[in-house]
Amino acid sequence: GAAVDAVAKGGETPYDIAKMRGHRKVMGVLDPVFVALLSGRSCKCSSYHETVQELKDEAEKKLGITIQRLIGVNMEPLNEAKTLEEAGVLPGHTLTAVIAPAAGQGDVSEEKQLAEDEGDLQNPNDFIEFLISANIRLVRAEFLIELDETGTPMPRRQEAEFMHVRSGATALVELGEYKELHVNQTSGHVTIRTAEGPSIVRFRSIS
């Protein structure tokens, strides 16, 4: 299929053309929502779906699993009856799929199942491992600040992947950088070594 960022003679991408012509289904395919498992397996789903349930159904078919629930970008369980807009699901977002218990394990509590499938995401070590395995590249605060200073709209994920900040670093954190993080097992603080010495790393969720 056509690449999302391929440019036509007039400078428009396939997504731009689909948007101009009102082809929402095509837009949903070109600018998808990603659904990932902790194992690292993931799939692209159309962002055109009306409800979270419809998105979940597509992910189940593509991943070949039964999904118990979807977890949003802010680590919140998504209500399947809500529309994608109501649930805050946007194109480019990566959702986490919690696999449903196998037959005969129906008595397993949701909390225990989540812990087994995803680990404790409040634990810095588990959270970092989750980011790596789910191929989630966080946005640098430096990039957001520069966008705000220049009045530039937030780009789509596939565009941000090739962008850089003034310092030369990539706009999105590289997966290899997560492996350089150090977690203090006593305080829980996360640090990374820099030329000036250890620097504390903070994760923030914004919408």
Side-chain angles (χ1 to χ4, degrees), residues 193-197:
R193 292 186 179 278
T194 66
E196 293 75 27

Side-chain angles (χ1 to χ4, degrees), residues 51-58 60 79-82 84:
T51 65
V52 174
Q53 179 64 57
E54 292 175 359
L55 177 65
K56 175 185 169 185
D57 291 342
E58 182 184 353
E60 287 183 329
N79 185 330
E80 296 170 9
K82 288 187 175 182
L84 297 189

Side-chain angles (χ1 to χ4, degrees), residues 90-102:
L90 300 174
H93 277 182
T94 296
L95 309 181
T96 305
V98 178
I99 300 176

Side-chain angles (χ1 to χ4, degrees), residues 1-204:
V4 177
D5 296 325
V7 180
K9 291 183 179 179
E12 306 92 352
T13 66
Y15 182 88
D16 294 331
I17 295 172
K19 185 175 182 179
M20 287 187 292
R21 297 179 180 177
H23 297 322
R24 292 185 60 201
K25 287 187 178 181
V26 177
M27 291 166 60
V29 173
L30 292 175
D31 202 5
V33 172
F34 301 85
V35 177
L37 302 174
L38 187 58
S39 64
R41 289 181 58 212
S42 64
C43 69
K44 295 180 181 179
C45 296
S46 172
S47 60
Y48 173 75
H49 291 301
E50 181 68 22
T51 65
V52 174
Q53 179 64 57
E54 292 175 359
L55 177 65
K56 175 185 169 185
D57 291 342
E58 182 184 353
E60 287 183 329
K61 291 178 181 177
K62 290 187 172 180
L63 293 172
I65 60 172
T66 300
I67 297 175
Q68 184 177 37
R69 59 184 172 181
L70 291 174
I71 306 297
V73 293
N74 295 321
M75 296 298 119
E76 78 285 8
L78 299 182
N79 185 330
E80 296 170 9
K82 288 187 175 182
T83 65
L84 297 189
E85 182 178 2
E86 291 171 341
V89 178
L90 300 174
H93 277 182
T94 296
L95 309 181
T96 305
V98 178
I99 300 176
Q105 294 183 349
D107 58 338
V108 178
S109 69
E110 289 189 0
E111 291 77 11
K112 182 178 180 181
Q113 185 66 30
L114 179 60
E116 292 175 351
D117 289 343
E118 306 297 343
D120 180 6
L121 295 183
Q122 299 302 315
N123 180 302
N125 288 302
D126 287 347
F127 182 63
I128 293 169
E129 286 300 319
F130 168 70
L131 294 175
I132 296 172
S133 62
N135 191 28
I136 296 175
R137 297 179 61 190
L138 299 179
V139 181
R140 296 185 197 279
E142 184 180 357
F143 180 59
L144 296 177
I145 293 171
E146 291 181 8
L147 289 179
D148 181 64
E149 289 176 346
T150 59
T152 305
M154 183 68 185
R156 299 196 298 271
R157 171 173 171 158
Q158 56 264 42
E159 296 170 336
E161 287 179 350
F162 301 100
M163 299 177 73
H164 295 75
V165 295
R166 297 190 188 106
S167 67
T170 54
L172 305 183
V173 177
E174 299 283 1
L175 297 182
E177 294 180 73
Y178 296 138
K179 298 178 181 180
E180 298 176 7
L181 299 177
H182 173 73
V183 179
N184 185 306
Q185 302 304 318
T186 302
S187 66
H189 290 162
V190 180
T191 58
I192 189 170
R193 292 186 179 278
T194 66
E196 293 75 27
S199 177
I200 294 180
V201 175
R202 294 181 174 87
F203 300 100
R204 293 289 185 268

